[in-house]
Amino acid sequence: MSTYTAPRRQWERAEERDSAVFLKLFSLFAGITIPFVIGIGAWLAISAHDAKKDAQAAATRAAASPATSAASMPGMATSGAAAAAAGAAAAGTRATPSFAGVAPANADALAAARKAYPAELPAAPAGPVAVVNLSIQHRAVSIAPGIHYDAWTFGPTAPGPVIHVREGQTVKVVLRNDAPMPHSVDFHAAQIAPNVAFSDVMPGKTKTFSFVASAPGVFMYHCGTAPAFMHIANGMYGAIVVEPKNLPPAQHEYVLVASEWYLNSAGLDGAASLDLTKAEQMTPDWVTWNGFAGQYKAHPLMADPGQTVRFWVVDAGPSLNTDFHVVGTVLQRAWLNGDMVDAPQHEIQTAMVPAGGGGVFDVRIDKPGIYPFVSHSFASVQMGEVGLLNVGHVAGTMSH
Ligand SMILES: [Cu+2]
């Protein structure tokens, strides 16, 4: 017992001594640091006040003289509205109100008269090398009936052209920048050093790089110039199909690229630009298949009963996923995530296609009718991500 007690008392005494020393040291430390901390606090308060004043002044300047502000920001929007939005965001102001569903009185006539983005998968070039020419442009595009947007594009449309190659082909990309600011292209199908291949191309310049399309599936390509978020939101994306060997045949193959649009105005009278705050909050005005709300309602995709229809789906985002679903059937084959190395899954009701990802889906419909294809995340349908597959060339339409 004694052999146990004595060491314990020694330990207690040692602790008391340590406590006394600690209290002295703490008093000394506090005496030095508390006034210092108070001083830092006061300095931070003054700095925050100054920063707020600076941000407000910057926002006012951006709104007053948008073109100059945009030009002074490398990699940022050249449009005044986007620059103003960036300035406003710095000041902590809010996004513009929603313009979802805004439509002129003649919206149906405009939708019918407009030629739809071609969803049919184009043929893959023959030979070992597929040459892909992409020209980058800044141009106004139409994203819904009567709604215009100042887009940045690959080619004349957003999305850019559908690229179709075969597994194992070498893809030679020739990228020409006809826009007034740096841009680039990032191919998700490539396995390549991105700092070299995907680097910026200056206005008026061309760059060439090649990669071997060794991974089959359907992939996104997009501008990767910083901030890539803004470049994608402005329309710089498209789909590349890398067709695997020994794929079961399909009578119709359609490519669908989903994306969201975030507008700083309705886009009815003049073209809208990006509302960056709205994009950051992921509250789009429009969500589209192939860049135009509801275009395959006015111009349905066609098939005959009993035919296999293959959908090659990419979700370009920039931020929302697509939950692919065809009303009135199931996805008989579903290559989820665009994985075409492994066998597909079967009889799926809804398949998620993530932002920046793809999926390949076969349906075979025996009964004539009109079958909507949607994102079953239904807010996106409300904002335009809906089209129709007309099986058997039947009359009529269907809303969803
Ligand atoms: Cu770009």
Side-chain angles (χ1 to χ4, degrees), residues 303-306 365-371 389-394:
D304 288 326
I365 297 170
D366 294 325
K367 295 181 177 60
I370 296 169
Y371 295 78
L389 176 67
N390 185 326
V391 178
H393 300 257
V394 302

Side-chain angles (χ1 to χ4, degrees), residues 21-334:
V21 171
F22 174 76
L23 276 173
K24 283 177 189 163
L25 281 172
F26 178 76
S27 304
L28 184 65
F29 177 73
I32 293 167
T33 54
I34 286 173
F36 182 69
V37 168
I38 289 169
I40 290 276
W43 178 75
L44 282 175
I46 292 164
S47 299
H49 181 71
D50 287 350
K52 192 177 169 192
K53 279 201 309 195
D54 288 351
Q56 283 167 345
T60 308
R61 281 196 304 277
S65 150
T68 349
S69 300
S72 68
M73 282 187 276
M76 296 294 280
T78 51
S79 81
T93 54
R94 291 181 187 149
T96 50
S98 174
F99 303 108
V102 168
N106 60 342
D108 288 347
L110 289 172
R114 178 181 175 272
K115 193 174 180 296
Y117 180 102
E120 294 79 11
L121 177 68
V129 179
V131 179
V132 173
N133 286 292
L134 290 174
S135 75
I136 293 166
Q137 307 168 15
H138 287 187
R139 56 160 58 221
V141 298
S142 190
I143 61 165
I147 307 297
H148 304 284
Y149 185 88
D150 267 329
W152 303 344
T153 61
F154 291 105
T157 56
V162 172
I163 300 165
H164 182 190
V165 302
R166 295 185 198 286
E167 181 184 353
Q169 270 186 321
T170 294
V171 182
K172 181 183 175 188
V173 180
V174 182
L175 183 65
R176 195 177 76 242
N177 187 355
D178 294 328
M181 60 185 283
H183 289 290
S184 59
V185 68
D186 169 336
F187 274 90
H188 288 191
Q191 295 169 77
I192 195 169
N195 58 313
V196 178
F198 305 161
S199 61
D200 283 356
V201 182
M202 294 299 124
K205 301 292 184 197
T206 297
K207 83 172 284 183
T208 302
F209 65 93
S210 296
F211 66 90
V212 176
S214 53
V218 61
F219 298 86
M220 181 182 179
Y221 67 85
H222 65 88
C223 180
T225 298
F229 174 53
M230 179 181 271
H231 289 244
I232 295 169
N234 271 338
M236 299 196 76
Y237 45 76
I240 175 171
V241 168
V242 181
E243 186 176 328
K245 296 155 185 146
N246 306 319
L247 193 59
Q251 283 71 52
H252 292 280
E253 299 191 72
Y254 296 120
V255 181
L256 298 173
V257 178
S259 61
E260 316 103 59
W261 301 89
Y262 303 90
L263 277 56
N264 70 346
S265 72
L268 272 173
D269 300 321
S273 292
L274 178 66
D275 184 322
L276 192 60
T277 303
K278 215 183 252 183
E280 287 169 347
Q281 294 174 351
M282 294 188 276
T283 52
D285 299 287
W286 298 97
V287 186
T288 57
W289 288 125
N290 291 343
F292 190 92
Q295 62 184 319
Y296 304 116
K297 285 170 78 178
H299 306 278
L301 306 182
M302 307 303 285
D304 288 326
Q307 290 185 323
T308 294
V309 178
R310 179 163 297 144
F311 292 99
W312 301 85
V313 182
V314 158
D315 187 305
S319 300
L320 300 187
N321 301 331
T322 283
D323 298 314
F324 189 71
H325 176 81
V326 182
V327 180
T329 187
V330 293
L331 310 173
Q332 278 97 358
R333 294 192 197 101

